[in-house]
Amino acid sequence: MTLPAVADCVFCKIVAGQIPCFKLLEDDATIAFMDINPVNPGHALAVAKGHWPTVDVIPAEVLAAVATTAQRIAKAVMAKLRPDGVNLMQANGPGAGQSVPHLHIHIIPRRPGDDLLFNWQPRAVERAEIEAVWHRLKAGL
Ligand code: AMP
Ligand code: ZN
């Protein structure tokens, strides 16, 4: 597969070796490296080598490869850094907090009291509200 690339994309530049990174591993479809602004020690990224911005446009087999790379990194994080837990996080679009529009999965080691906002409180929702959204979603599948 020819990998799409975008000239002014920071992750495309890392893939091309034009800017440095703390590389953890790479294979044909993916690369993994340390996040340059970690939210916790050990925060790493599993990144598609090709430039696909978001989950809806990346080929399924490339997404699977990125997930496999994220799993490899998560296993190493768990074995070597022994965190309290690990979150995998993947953002799509600025409304979801995506700052680099080149698909990647965050591997985030968790520590007690780190106050990251993943551990949300569920809100009370009527079953009818869930059902209404369920109908709309099913229509798109
Ligand atoms: P997101 O906000 O989900 O798009 O995540 C993008 C991540 O890329 C952020 O956590 C940044 O700290 C990280 N990042 C940006 N530039 C670099 C870089 N040159 N090397 C490593 N990580 C980077
Ligand atoms: Zn890119």
Side-chain angles (χ1 to χ4, degrees), residues 10-11 14 19 33-37 43 45 89 91 97-100 104 106:
V10 63
F11 288 175
I14 288 174
I19 58 176
F33 48 84
M34 304 305 290
D35 195 296
I36 206 69
N37 289 120
H43 181 178
L45 302 170
M89 203 282 286
Q98 186 180 23
S99 60
V100 178
H104 54 281
H106 295 258

PDB file of all heavy atoms in Angstrom, residues 10-11 14 19 33-37 43 45 89 91 97-100 104 106, ligand 1:
ATOM      1  N   VAL A  10       3.336  16.821  11.690  1.00  0.00           N
ATOM      2  CA  VAL A  10       4.456  16.480  12.574  1.00  0.00           C
ATOM      3  C   VAL A  10       4.677  14.965  12.616  1.00  0.00           C
ATOM      4  O   VAL A  10       5.841  14.499  12.662  1.00  0.00           O
ATOM      5  CB  VAL A  10       4.251  17.079  13.984  1.00  0.00           C
ATOM      6  CG1 VAL A  10       3.026  16.512  14.668  1.00  0.00           C
ATOM      7  CG2 VAL A  10       5.471  16.873  14.858  1.00  0.00           C
ATOM      8  N   PHE A  11       3.620  14.164  12.595  1.00  0.00           N
ATOM      9  CA  PHE A  11       3.810  12.713  12.659  1.00  0.00           C
ATOM     10  C   PHE A  11       4.316  12.176  11.318  1.00  0.00           C
ATOM     11  O   PHE A  11       5.116  11.238  11.300  1.00  0.00           O
ATOM     12  CB  PHE A  11       2.538  12.007  13.102  1.00  0.00           C
ATOM     13  CG  PHE A  11       2.192  12.206  14.563  1.00  0.00           C
ATOM     14  CD1 PHE A  11       1.004  11.712  15.081  1.00  0.00           C
ATOM     15  CD2 PHE A  11       3.062  12.864  15.427  1.00  0.00           C
ATOM     16  CE1 PHE A  11       0.685  11.882  16.430  1.00  0.00           C
ATOM     17  CE2 PHE A  11       2.755  13.053  16.770  1.00  0.00           C
ATOM     18  CZ  PHE A  11       1.551  12.565  17.270  1.00  0.00           C
ATOM     19  N   ILE A  14       7.951  12.682  11.493  1.00  0.00           N
ATOM     20  CA  ILE A  14       8.610  11.669  12.326  1.00  0.00           C
ATOM     21  C   ILE A  14       8.737  10.365  11.544  1.00  0.00           C
ATOM     22  O   ILE A  14       9.807   9.735  11.534  1.00  0.00           O
ATOM     23  CB  ILE A  14       7.838  11.470  13.645  1.00  0.00           C
ATOM     24  CG1 ILE A  14       8.046  12.692  14.560  1.00  0.00           C
ATOM     25  CG2 ILE A  14       8.285  10.190  14.360  1.00  0.00           C
ATOM     26  CD1 ILE A  14       7.224  12.678  15.843  1.00  0.00           C
ATOM     27  N   ILE A  19      12.140  14.665  11.677  1.00  0.00           N
ATOM     28  CA  ILE A  19      12.318  15.181  13.032  1.00  0.00           C
ATOM     29  C   ILE A  19      12.473  13.987  13.973  1.00  0.00           C
ATOM     30  O   ILE A  19      11.947  12.906  13.701  1.00  0.00           O
ATOM     31  CB  ILE A  19      11.192  16.130  13.496  1.00  0.00           C
ATOM     32  CG1 ILE A  19       9.832  15.465  13.444  1.00  0.00           C
ATOM     33  CG2 ILE A  19      11.169  17.406  12.687  1.00  0.00           C
ATOM     34  CD1 ILE A  19       8.738  16.359  13.997  1.00  0.00           C
ATOM     35  N   PHE A  33       6.310   5.780  19.605  1.00  0.00           N
ATOM     36  CA  PHE A  33       7.349   6.603  20.227  1.00  0.00           C
ATOM     37  C   PHE A  33       6.782   7.291  21.460  1.00  0.00           C
ATOM     38  O   PHE A  33       5.556   7.318  21.676  1.00  0.00           O
ATOM     39  CB  PHE A  33       7.915   7.623  19.224  1.00  0.00           C
ATOM     40  CG  PHE A  33       6.890   8.406  18.447  1.00  0.00           C
ATOM     41  CD1 PHE A  33       6.296   9.548  18.979  1.00  0.00           C
ATOM     42  CD2 PHE A  33       6.513   7.998  17.163  1.00  0.00           C
ATOM     43  CE1 PHE A  33       5.358  10.274  18.257  1.00  0.00           C
ATOM     44  CE2 PHE A  33       5.574   8.712  16.430  1.00  0.00           C
ATOM     45  CZ  PHE A  33       4.996   9.859  16.976  1.00  0.00           C
ATOM     46  N   MET A  34       7.684   7.862  22.259  1.00  0.00           N
ATOM     47  CA  MET A  34       7.257   8.548  23.477  1.00  0.00           C
ATOM     48  C   MET A  34       6.575   9.864  23.132  1.00  0.00           C
ATOM     49  O   MET A  34       7.026  10.594  22.236  1.00  0.00           O
ATOM     50  CB  MET A  34       8.462   8.838  24.391  1.00  0.00           C
ATOM     51  CG  MET A  34       9.300   7.618  24.781  1.00  0.00           C
ATOM     52  SD  MET A  34       8.351   6.299  25.528  1.00  0.00           S
ATOM     53  CE  MET A  34       7.921   7.053  27.111  1.00  0.00           C
ATOM     54  N   ASP A  35       5.481  10.168  23.858  1.00  0.00           N
ATOM     55  CA  ASP A  35       4.841  11.479  23.705  1.00  0.00           C
ATOM     56  C   ASP A  35       5.783  12.561  24.247  1.00  0.00           C
ATOM     57  O   ASP A  35       6.357  12.395  25.326  1.00  0.00           O
ATOM     58  CB  ASP A  35       3.501  11.497  24.438  1.00  0.00           C
ATOM     59  CG  ASP A  35       2.631  12.676  24.016  1.00  0.00           C
ATOM     60  OD1 ASP A  35       3.032  13.839  24.254  1.00  0.00           O
ATOM     61  OD2 ASP A  35       1.559  12.426  23.440  1.00  0.00           O
ATOM     62  N   ILE A  36       5.934  13.641  23.478  1.00  0.00           N
ATOM     63  CA  ILE A  36       6.887  14.693  23.852  1.00  0.00           C
ATOM     64  C   ILE A  36       6.363  15.567  24.998  1.00  0.00           C
ATOM     65  O   ILE A  36       7.139  16.251  25.666  1.00  0.00           O
ATOM     66  CB  ILE A  36       7.260  15.555  22.617  1.00  0.00           C
ATOM     67  CG1 ILE A  36       8.631  16.183  22.777  1.00  0.00           C
ATOM     68  CG2 ILE A  36       6.193  16.595  22.323  1.00  0.00           C
ATOM     69  CD1 ILE A  36       9.762  15.209  22.740  1.00  0.00           C
ATOM     70  N   ASN A  37       5.056  15.532  25.225  1.00  0.00           N
ATOM     71  CA  ASN A  37       4.450  16.265  26.350  1.00  0.00           C
ATOM     72  C   ASN A  37       3.616  15.284  27.180  1.00  0.00           C
ATOM     73  O   ASN A  37       2.381  15.352  27.189  1.00  0.00           O
ATOM     74  CB  ASN A  37       3.571  17.418  25.873  1.00  0.00           C
ATOM     75  CG  ASN A  37       4.376  18.558  25.285  1.00  0.00           C
ATOM     76  OD1 ASN A  37       4.205  18.907  24.113  1.00  0.00           O
ATOM     77  ND2 ASN A  37       5.245  19.130  26.076  1.00  0.00           N
ATOM     78  N   HIS A  43       3.995   7.854  29.038  1.00  0.00           N
ATOM     79  CA  HIS A  43       2.980   8.171  28.014  1.00  0.00           C
ATOM     80  C   HIS A  43       3.616   8.010  26.622  1.00  0.00           C
ATOM     81  O   HIS A  43       4.608   8.641  26.296  1.00  0.00           O
ATOM     82  CB  HIS A  43       2.514   9.616  28.235  1.00  0.00           C
ATOM     83  CG  HIS A  43       1.461  10.090  27.286  1.00  0.00           C
ATOM     84  ND1 HIS A  43       0.918  11.346  27.395  1.00  0.00           N
ATOM     85  CD2 HIS A  43       0.855   9.521  26.207  1.00  0.00           C
ATOM     86  CE1 HIS A  43       0.006  11.529  26.447  1.00  0.00           C
ATOM     87  NE2 HIS A  43      -0.031  10.446  25.701  1.00  0.00           N
ATOM     88  N   LEU A  45       2.843   6.829  22.201  1.00  0.00           N
ATOM     89  CA  LEU A  45       1.882   6.903  21.097  1.00  0.00           C
ATOM     90  C   LEU A  45       2.129   5.768  20.115  1.00  0.00           C
ATOM     91  O   LEU A  45       3.284   5.506  19.746  1.00  0.00           O
ATOM     92  CB  LEU A  45       2.024   8.239  20.350  1.00  0.00           C
ATOM     93  CG  LEU A  45       1.843   9.513  21.173  1.00  0.00           C
ATOM     94  CD1 LEU A  45       2.250  10.740  20.352  1.00  0.00           C
ATOM     95  CD2 LEU A  45       0.413   9.656  21.666  1.00  0.00           C
ATOM     96  N   MET A  89      -6.201   5.703  24.647  1.00  0.00           N
ATOM     97  CA  MET A  89      -7.079   6.815  24.288  1.00  0.00           C
ATOM     98  C   MET A  89      -6.794   7.238  22.858  1.00  0.00           C
ATOM     99  O   MET A  89      -5.637   7.268  22.440  1.00  0.00           O
ATOM    100  CB  MET A  89      -6.825   7.971  25.256  1.00  0.00           C
ATOM    101  CG  MET A  89      -7.962   8.958  25.398  1.00  0.00           C
ATOM    102  SD  MET A  89      -8.070  10.118  24.037  1.00  0.00           S
ATOM    103  CE  MET A  89      -6.700  11.200  24.385  1.00  0.00           C
ATOM    104  N   ALA A  91      -8.277  10.101  19.936  1.00  0.00           N
ATOM    105  CA  ALA A  91      -9.161  11.248  19.713  1.00  0.00           C
ATOM    106  C   ALA A  91      -9.393  11.459  18.215  1.00  0.00           C
ATOM    107  O   ALA A  91      -8.494  11.254  17.391  1.00  0.00           O
ATOM    108  CB  ALA A  91      -8.536  12.503  20.322  1.00  0.00           C
ATOM    109  N   GLY A  97     -10.616  16.696  21.304  1.00  0.00           N
ATOM    110  CA  GLY A  97      -9.295  17.008  21.833  1.00  0.00           C
ATOM    111  C   GLY A  97      -8.142  16.549  20.960  1.00  0.00           C
ATOM    112  O   GLY A  97      -7.009  16.479  21.430  1.00  0.00           O
ATOM    113  N   GLN A  98      -8.415  16.240  19.689  1.00  0.00           N
ATOM    114  CA  GLN A  98      -7.324  15.811  18.802  1.00  0.00           C
ATOM    115  C   GLN A  98      -6.532  17.039  18.356  1.00  0.00           C
ATOM    116  O   GLN A  98      -7.092  17.951  17.735  1.00  0.00           O
ATOM    117  CB  GLN A  98      -7.875  15.066  17.579  1.00  0.00           C
ATOM    118  CG  GLN A  98      -6.775  14.467  16.706  1.00  0.00           C
ATOM    119  CD  GLN A  98      -7.330  13.720  15.485  1.00  0.00           C
ATOM    120  OE1 GLN A  98      -8.451  13.968  15.045  1.00  0.00           O
ATOM    121  NE2 GLN A  98      -6.523  12.823  14.944  1.00  0.00           N
ATOM    122  N   SER A  99      -5.248  17.039  18.652  1.00  0.00           N
ATOM    123  CA  SER A  99      -4.397  18.170  18.252  1.00  0.00           C
ATOM    124  C   SER A  99      -3.532  17.839  17.053  1.00  0.00           C
ATOM    125  O   SER A  99      -3.084  18.751  16.353  1.00  0.00           O
ATOM    126  CB  SER A  99      -3.524  18.619  19.432  1.00  0.00           C
ATOM    127  OG  SER A  99      -2.681  17.569  19.862  1.00  0.00           O
ATOM    128  N   VAL A 100      -3.259  16.560  16.812  1.00  0.00           N
ATOM    129  CA  VAL A 100      -2.484  16.142  15.631  1.00  0.00           C
ATOM    130  C   VAL A 100      -3.403  15.278  14.771  1.00  0.00           C
ATOM    131  O   VAL A 100      -3.727  14.137  15.148  1.00  0.00           O
ATOM    132  CB  VAL A 100      -1.213  15.353  16.023  1.00  0.00           C
ATOM    133  CG1 VAL A 100      -0.464  14.908  14.767  1.00  0.00           C
ATOM    134  CG2 VAL A 100      -0.309  16.195  16.913  1.00  0.00           C
ATOM    135  N   HIS A 104      -3.589   8.152  15.794  1.00  0.00           N
ATOM    136  CA  HIS A 104      -2.704   7.600  16.814  1.00  0.00           C
ATOM    137  C   HIS A 104      -3.515   7.180  18.023  1.00  0.00           C
ATOM    138  O   HIS A 104      -4.594   7.709  18.282  1.00  0.00           O
ATOM    139  CB  HIS A 104      -1.639   8.623  17.227  1.00  0.00           C
ATOM    140  CG  HIS A 104      -2.203   9.938  17.649  1.00  0.00           C
ATOM    141  ND1 HIS A 104      -2.626  10.897  16.750  1.00  0.00           N
ATOM    142  CD2 HIS A 104      -2.440  10.455  18.887  1.00  0.00           C
ATOM    143  CE1 HIS A 104      -3.089  11.937  17.405  1.00  0.00           C
ATOM    144  NE2 HIS A 104      -2.992  11.699  18.707  1.00  0.00           N
ATOM    145  N   HIS A 106      -3.061   6.838  22.157  1.00  0.00           N
ATOM    146  CA  HIS A 106      -2.245   7.131  23.337  1.00  0.00           C
ATOM    147  C   HIS A 106      -2.205   5.901  24.235  1.00  0.00           C
ATOM    148  O   HIS A 106      -3.240   5.255  24.479  1.00  0.00           O
ATOM    149  CB  HIS A 106      -2.853   8.268  24.153  1.00  0.00           C
ATOM    150  CG  HIS A 106      -2.888   9.593  23.468  1.00  0.00           C
ATOM    151  ND1 HIS A 106      -1.996  10.593  23.746  1.00  0.00           N
ATOM    152  CD2 HIS A 106      -3.712  10.081  22.507  1.00  0.00           C
ATOM    153  CE1 HIS A 106      -2.277  11.653  22.998  1.00  0.00           C
ATOM    154  NE2 HIS A 106      -3.316  11.367  22.235  1.00  0.00           N
TER     155      HIS A 106
HETATM  156  P1  AMP B   1      -3.893  14.366  20.319  1.00  0.00           P
HETATM  157  O1  AMP B   1      -4.111  15.663  21.055  1.00  0.00           O
HETATM  158  O2  AMP B   1      -4.771  13.231  20.769  1.00  0.00           O
HETATM  159  O3  AMP B   1      -3.955  14.610  18.826  1.00  0.00           O
HETATM  160  O4  AMP B   1      -2.424  13.902  20.689  1.00  0.00           O
HETATM  161  C1  AMP B   1      -1.288  14.405  20.051  1.00  0.00           C
HETATM  162  C2  AMP B   1      -0.117  14.118  20.935  1.00  0.00           C
HETATM  163  O5  AMP B   1       1.061  14.270  20.163  1.00  0.00           O
HETATM  164  C3  AMP B   1       0.024  15.074  22.131  1.00  0.00           C
HETATM  165  O6  AMP B   1      -0.039  14.315  23.346  1.00  0.00           O
HETATM  166  C4  AMP B   1       1.385  15.715  21.923  1.00  0.00           C
HETATM  167  O7  AMP B   1       2.094  15.897  23.122  1.00  0.00           O
HETATM  168  C5  AMP B   1       2.072  14.718  21.007  1.00  0.00           C
HETATM  169  N1  AMP B   1       3.120  15.275  20.155  1.00  0.00           N
HETATM  170  C6  AMP B   1       3.060  16.396  19.398  1.00  0.00           C
HETATM  171  N2  AMP B   1       4.231  16.585  18.739  1.00  0.00           N
HETATM  172  C7  AMP B   1       5.038  15.545  19.096  1.00  0.00           C
HETATM  173  C8  AMP B   1       6.379  15.164  18.766  1.00  0.00           C
HETATM  174  N3  AMP B   1       7.135  15.896  17.930  1.00  0.00           N
HETATM  175  N4  AMP B   1       6.880  14.033  19.310  1.00  0.00           N
HETATM  176  C9  AMP B   1       6.135  13.292  20.165  1.00  0.00           C
HETATM  177  N5  AMP B   1       4.866  13.596  20.505  1.00  0.00           N
HETATM  178  C10 AMP B   1       4.325  14.710  20.003  1.00  0.00           C
END
